[in-house]
Each structure stands twice: as structure tokens, then as C-alpha cells.
Amino acid sequence: DRKTSEMGVTIETTKDGDGKNFPKKGDQLKMHYTGTLKSDGSKFDSSRDKGKVFQFVIGVGAVIKGWDEGVIQMSLGQRAVLNITSDYGYGSEGAAGVIPPNADLVFDVELLGINNLSAGGGGGGGGCTLL
């Protein structure tokens, strides 16, 4: 189950999401991720290791382009591997001394929440909607 966008990111699903709730530009997302260098598999960052969910707004340039283009194709609860080319990652600059220039990246990501929806929470019917 591989999805390729015309962009510099490919998505390989490792756990299916709900197939109906997809993020839209401007949505607040909650994710878990582990980032590794494609070249040697060395880990440079992980929200799982920190025990803290990563929150960001999708589609507004708050994260690398590979995330903006890749995560928006995922549904709630989905876990996937994003293979991101350097031009959709940190490019010729690299990052923070941990990601070398022109490095291709691999992220194991899981979409845990979209705005007020949480994975595994059923999502539909009953309950209150916060406006």
C-alpha cells in the first residue's frame, strides 16, 4: 500500500487509519514520530522517546515540506513511513548539526489527532463538538 505524490515524499502505510478523517490545511494535528537518516538509519529525533506528542498546524509551513505534503494524505489513526527527499526535508542547509546537508530522511509517523478528534475515540456520533 504505497502512495507516491508527485512531490519528494513517498508514504508506506504500516497501520491503516479510519479512512474517513483526513487533515485539511490549517488543522491542528497530534502526531508521534521517529526521524532517521536514510543513509545510515541513525535516529536524530523522536517524540516517542520523549514521551510527548508533537502538535503542529498542517499545510502552513510549520514543518518540513515532506510532512506538509505527506501527512495531509493520512487518515486518523494511520501509522506510516514517510520517505522524504532532501529538497522536501532540510535541503542544502541541513539542521541543528544533526541532519547533514542534502540528507534524505525517513520518518515513522502516526496521526493521533486532528483538531478535537482522537484516534481510537470513535470520532462519530454522540458527544459534544467544541466550536
Side-chain angles (χ1 to χ4, degrees):
D1 186 17
R2 267 186 182 292
K3 262 194 198 173
T4 308
S5 73
E6 61 282 1
M7 315 303 182
V9 58
T10 59
I11 302 169
E12 204 171 326
T13 298
T14 53
K15 183 182 125 215
D16 287 332
D18 68 5
K20 36 181 212 238
N21 293 295
F22 293 87
K24 295 179 298 306
K25 183 177 175 180
D27 283 350
Q28 173 84 32
L29 304 188
K30 293 182 182 79
M31 309 273 305
H32 260 318
Y33 69 88
T34 299
T36 55
L37 299 178
K38 188 171 184 123
S39 59
D40 64 4
S42 62
K43 182 171 22 173
F44 57 80
D45 195 11
S46 174
S47 65
R48 291 182 182 96
D49 290 352
K50 295 173 187 167
K52 193 166 184 225
V53 171
F54 177 61
Q55 297 188 52
F56 70 101
V57 176
I58 189 84
V60 298
V63 289
I64 58 172
K65 195 170 185 182
W67 272 49
D68 269 347
E69 300 287 346
V71 172
I72 209 155
Q73 301 177 52
M74 295 172 63
S75 64
L76 189 62
Q78 183 175 344
R79 186 164 179 172
V81 174
L82 303 181
N83 284 284
I84 299 174
T85 56
S86 66
D87 54 327
Y88 277 69
Y90 294 95
S92 60
E93 300 291 312
V98 240
I99 299 170
N102 305 312
D104 292 345
L105 307 174
V106 178
F107 282 95
D108 174 347
V109 296
E110 188 172 9
L111 182 53
L112 302 172
I114 303 171
N115 296 324
N116 296 318
L117 289 177
S118 293
C128 296
T129 303
L130 300 175
L131 300 177

